[in-house]
Amino acid sequence: MSAAARRSALAPFRIRNYRFQWPSDLLTSWAFEIETLVLGWYILVETGSVLLLTVLASLQYVGTLIAPVLGMVGDRIGHRDLLVVLRLTYTVLASTIMALALTGHLAPLKVMIIVTIMGLIRSSDLGLRSALLADIMPSELLVGAISLSRTTQDSARIAGALTGAGLFATFGIGKVYVVIACLYVVAAGLMFCLSRPAKSAEHRLVESHSGSRLLRDLREGIVYSWNGPAMLAALCVAFLANLTAFPLTNGLLPYIARDIFHTDQTGLGYLSASFALGSLIGSVTLSLVSGLRIARLLIGATLAWYTLLLVFVEIRTIPVAMACLVLAGIAQSMSMISAAVILMRTASAHLRGRVMGVRMMVIYGLPIGLLAAGSLIDIIGYSATGSLYAAAGFIAMLAIAIRWRADLWPVHAPANAR
């Protein structure tokens, strides 16, 4: 890598707040990923039910429906302060599972209840991160900052997949949760070290509103998010991906590892880490490259992602599946980063939290897709279900590109601004 490329990639770290936010987001993402893998394997082993596995994965996203509300709260009290509260709450919930496991009182029903509580707030974390980034970063560094921020999730999936499976097999769920709780509490401490971003005139105007304006503020954010054609297209792509693409590489992966590839939690770790490695490559690549036509990248990367998923569902050997997942991860990263950049570039400063709250709300497509997939697999089988999801997603993405072609494809379109 050239010296100029290194300077470009690391430029966001010149901002003091980013030097605290990045490691805080990293530790939180690591904890998320280890929890997801460990609890998924726990439920699958304890119950033997793929349907309950998809229910567990779905419960992690129940909060997507109230994400705009938390986004509005973040707009009013500060995105940094709300993230501190959320991460302290994660610590309490993880400590509860740790105590139950170490005392021998953990059971699938208790896990489901705690995951439901966690799911109410966890879905908003990623959106609030992006809103905070837009608060603290100059506009010319935003693409690089969001790309580097994505590396926290991608590297976490690698670390969580490889270490989580090994720790679970070696030490058991209770001791793994000691590590998870520690990650959360350190992440909250780092986030607390951020100085509060200076508030714009738009923010101050919003704060002058009385409490009776809360519902009006929330409605304003939702309507605003759906009025801009580029923003609406990005939101539709995000919903589509969560409905038809992520179920195959997120919630269903423990089932695919055990019943399709006939492997254990170590094999599950390799599969999960492969997709995460591809995501990391995509994120790092975008942090190094400037001048991209973001909306065009959104279209091309999403179509490539679905094409690779069509191939993945027909593969039956782990090494080939891992290679396919790496490529799918690259495409997925470029697609989702492009959507986030379009939203943050377009949104007004005082509405960013609510816009990203709406972005998180469309993640509700994931639990819907997971629950439908769990039922369809029992009826028509894994290959048919996977092919149906990938083909439907590819066709729907073409429809989105055609519907908003005037806002996404022309070089001079605002969404393609360099």
Side-chain angles (χ1 to χ4, degrees), residues 13 34 41 48 54 71 115 147 149 155 201 220 277 285 289 320:
F13 287 101
I34 296 174
W41 193 261
T54 58
V115 169
S147 300
S149 181
S155 62
E220 177 190 5
L277 176 61
T285 300
V289 178
V320 180

Side-chain angles (χ1 to χ4, degrees), residues 39-49 52-53 55-56 59 97 100 104-116 173:
L39 292 181
W41 193 261
Y42 171 81
I43 291 296
L44 190 62
V45 170
E46 290 292 318
T47 67
S49 170
L52 285 179
L53 174 66
V55 170
L56 175 76
L59 290 175
I97 293 181
L100 289 171
H105 293 97
L106 192 65
L109 178 59
K110 294 176 181 177
V111 168
M112 294 287 192
I113 293 171
I114 294 171
V115 169
T116 301
I173 191 171

Side-chain angles (χ1 to χ4, degrees), residues 237-284:
V237 172
F239 176 78
L240 177 65
N242 281 283
L243 180 68
T244 58
F246 280 118
L248 297 174
T249 53
N250 281 25
L252 287 174
L253 209 53
Y255 165 78
I256 294 171
R258 193 189 70 166
D259 289 35
I260 304 302
F261 293 106
H262 307 293
T263 186
D264 56 11
Q265 63 263 47
T266 302
L268 168 61
Y270 289 145
L271 290 170
S272 182
S274 298
F275 187 74
L277 176 61
S279 297
L280 180 61
I281 293 171
S283 301
V284 171

Side-chain angles (χ1 to χ4, degrees), residues 235-365:
L235 289 170
C236 287
V237 172
F239 176 78
L240 177 65
N242 281 283
L243 180 68
T244 58
F246 280 118
L248 297 174
T249 53
N250 281 25
L252 287 174
L253 209 53
Y255 165 78
I256 294 171
R258 193 189 70 166
D259 289 35
I260 304 302
F261 293 106
H262 307 293
T263 186
D264 56 11
Q265 63 263 47
T266 302
L268 168 61
Y270 289 145
L271 290 170
S272 182
S274 298
F275 187 74
L277 176 61
S279 297
L280 180 61
I281 293 171
S283 301
V284 171
T285 300
L286 284 183
S287 73
L288 297 174
V289 178
S290 59
L292 291 172
R293 305 296 185 184
I294 291 296
R296 288 187 172 187
L297 180 63
L298 174 66
I299 295 170
T302 307
L303 291 175
W305 183 9
Y306 281 115
T307 302
L308 289 162
L309 289 178
L310 276 169
V311 176
F312 172 71
V313 297
E314 300 300 330
I315 295 172
R316 293 297 180 270
T317 56
I318 286 184
V320 180
M322 289 171 61
C324 187
L325 285 173
V326 169
L327 296 175
I330 294 172
Q332 171 269 151
S333 178
M334 292 185 172
S335 171
M336 293 297 96
I337 289 175
S338 298
V341 170
I342 289 172
L343 291 172
M344 287 297 93
R345 277 182 174 173
T346 309
S348 297
H350 72 292
L351 291 170
R352 284 180 184 140
R354 275 162 278 184
V355 169
M356 291 311 295
V358 175
R359 164 65 182 88
M360 293 300 103
M361 185 171 67
V362 302
I363 293 178
Y364 205 72

Side-chain angles (χ1 to χ4, degrees), residues 402-413:
I402 294 170
R403 168 63 180 81
W404 285 285
R405 61 188 180 278
D407 303 288
L408 300 179
W409 193 255
V411 172
H412 56 76

Side-chain angles (χ1 to χ4, degrees), residues 222-241:
I222 295 175
V223 171
Y224 176 79
S225 300
W226 289 88
N227 274 342
M231 281 198 293
L232 182 54
L235 289 170
C236 287
V237 172
F239 176 78
L240 177 65

